[in-house]
Amino acid sequence: MNARQLALKVIYQVNEEGAFANLALDKILLENKLANPKDKGLATELVYGSIKYRGYLDWVLDQFAKPKVKNMAPWIRNILRLGLYQLLFLDKVPVSAAINESVKLAKKYGHPGTVKFVNGVLRNIERNKDNLAIPDVQKSPVEYLSVIFSFPQWLAKMWVEKYGVKNALKLADYFNQPSPLWIRANTLKITSDELCEKLEKKGIKTVKSSKAPEGLEILDSVEIGKLEEFRQGYFTVQDESSMLVSHVVAPQSGQVILDVCSGPGGKTSHLAQLMGNKGRILAFDVHQHRLKLIQDTCRRLGITNVETILKDARFLSQFIHEPADAVLVDAPCSGLGVLGRRPDARWRKSPEDIRELQIIQKEIIQEAAKLVKPGGTLVYSTCTTTVEENNQVIEDFLANNKEFYLDKDLNKYLPYQTEEGSQGWIQFLPFIHNTDGFFIARMKRRK
């Protein structure tokens, strides 16, 4: 199986069967050893690019093909998406290769009629690709953003209405760029400066975070799992904005902390670092495999003060009877702040998901509040940007729980100063903070 056939299988699984792109790609790469090492990179590019730009590719195809994309045979529409992505986005792939390899795939997964169809459509687009009728950004900003940046119409509309056209376009562009690779130095073993030096000696360039003292961005392409520093537990992978959550919790050595939606454990292990591995962290999750990830991470980092427990955060008070110094609710959310890291996520989400998640989020924070001792801290965070999942959840909670109030000076806890730190919550946005979209709110229980 060559790189294109392998990529097609993954694209089909994602678009037609609802598979997750990263898991499907990892599985098929493991099962099929490609002869040329460069083919792995090509397959990865084809999978993620074709899926990310599916909306734009379908828009182009619909201008040249009858039937429309939604009425095509599933294998054929995905072969066309794969071929068209190469024609429009990959300058290093010859036009002849993009078309001919697509025709070969059509022979394998179609019939003589569809072979002729694939060949004709791709050649017609290649001849006329410079004459596409692009939507006018002034007259139809939602359609322009949806088509050109390849996002669902409902999401484009929401961004334009909430942030204005200029910022909505910046947001879409941010999510279409390669996401930076951030790591967090394990300060139980090493400082970020020392880690930076170690990696530099191996020829790996890094840049220190301006927001999180433990954060380093890796500028080179590296296989993290193969680095000795990773295996030795000197660092773990965690996004820059995600690192700020544990700082806002501000755990102290010797305290009891509950992390009620803890998998896969980035924030859990960071809390342990900030506590100097002293005290007690109870990490809850509803998925055993996510708890296993926490256990593996803590073992690698040398963390011993974390206990993992398989429980639903909505029912914790039924068996946790000792209140904690601090409770972190890193709530399940729509993930609309980290779309750049998950190219298929934009096509999975819907407005209905947001409404359903808000119900769960409200249930979790209400239950978590019962576990905070008087004078204790409750922190709520998400990796999304919707008001429904963020501000509305907090406002609803505070309206129904008068013993809690917003801790209005986040700058006391954030490692850097921000104008938004005086309101008790902060919404990180790519076009303002140059980070993924994250929400953090800090509340206190009255003594």
Side-chain angles (χ1 to χ4, degrees), residues 31-32 133 152 189 206 252 273 278 324 369 372 375 385 387 407 440:
E31 293 171 349
N32 299 272
K189 294 186 174 185
T206 62
Q252 303 300 307
Q273 271 183 225
K278 294 173 182 173
V372 181
T385 56
V387 173
D407 188 345
I440 313 172

Side-chain angles (χ1 to χ4, degrees), residues 323-338:
D325 295 286
V327 176
L328 169 61
V329 177
D330 185 43
C333 71
S334 60
L336 297 183
V338 291

